[in-house]
Amino acid sequence: MPESVANPTLGYKLDPGELGLWNSAPASRSILRVLSQEISNWLYFKRKVEREGGVIIQGGISLDLRKRGSFLAAVAGRTSVWVYYPGERAQSNEFSEQSYKQYIEEKIRQLESQLAFATPEEKEKLEQQIQLLEIAMNLPLQLIKMLFEPLGLFLNAVV
């Protein structure tokens, strides 16, 4: 008896504020679907940074690959961009208390969107990360800077 090929349809949600179409794709075409969305995000970040006079110093695209049906499928993607603004812009690019809280809230939303596709072990890790971010959101910005800047971790990244 020939073995049947399972090719489930995967649904994708965009992050809040992300440009693009909310589509689904069969598992066999999911990598192409997610990669094209992440390339669009990369180009958006690149144009935005160039308009603002910055330079991309590091960045990348990562895909969360999992077995779905008979295929290795992309269940989520992430585009990261680290930006340098030369001159005066670099000094004035520090987070205010409000933008810091918005940054943390966005990170929490990203992690919550990953919960739907996670295994039980991954869900536990994601929930722990969300709890830590919620704690960090309630700490004063000055304390966060004191804790992270000596380690080389800066909060003025576009992610």
Side-chain angles (χ1 to χ4, degrees), residues 5-156:
V5 175
N7 192 12
T9 300
L10 306 175
Y12 297 102
K13 293 189 308 185
L14 298 173
D15 291 333
E18 182 178 7
L19 302 174
L21 299 173
W22 187 3
N23 285 331
S24 59
S28 61
R29 295 185 185 165
S30 64
I31 293 175
L32 181 61
R33 168 73 185 98
V34 174
L35 187 57
S36 66
Q37 178 63 38
E38 296 308 320
I39 289 171
S40 295
N41 291 344
W42 173 266
L43 293 173
Y44 168 77
F45 286 135
K46 183 179 177 202
R47 286 188 301 269
K48 181 178 183 225
V49 168
E50 288 172 353
R51 269 193 316 267
E52 295 173 353
V55 178
I56 295 176
I57 56 173
Q58 183 179 346
I61 294 173
S62 61
L63 301 179
D64 185 3
L65 301 175
R66 311 257 175 107
K67 187 170 191 274
R68 294 292 188 254
S70 301
F71 296 90
L72 184 62
V75 295
R78 177 181 175 91
T79 302
S80 300
V81 179
W82 292 82
V83 179
Y84 170 70
Y85 292 100
E88 297 172 35
R89 178 71 191 256
Q91 295 170 356
S92 65
N93 198 25
E94 290 188 21
F95 274 119
S96 67
E97 192 81 29
Q98 181 181 5
S99 62
Y100 163 71
K101 291 191 185 293
Q102 289 172 345
Y103 177 80
I104 297 291
E105 288 171 355
E106 177 62 30
K107 289 291 186 190
I108 290 172
R109 281 193 294 272
Q110 288 175 359
L111 292 173
E112 287 173 342
S113 70
Q114 294 174 12
L115 283 173
F117 301 110
T119 64
E121 298 85 23
E122 292 168 337
K123 279 185 182 182
E124 184 178 331
K125 288 180 183 178
L126 289 170
E127 287 169 351
Q128 288 174 353
Q129 289 176 347
I130 290 169
Q131 288 174 350
L132 286 173
L133 286 171
E134 287 171 346
I135 291 169
M137 190 166 54
N138 294 319
L139 293 174
L141 180 59
Q142 196 60 32
L143 178 60
I144 296 296
K145 286 182 179 181
M146 285 178 8
L147 292 172
F148 290 110
E149 285 183 1
L151 300 173
L153 302 173
F154 300 101
L155 298 174
N156 59 353

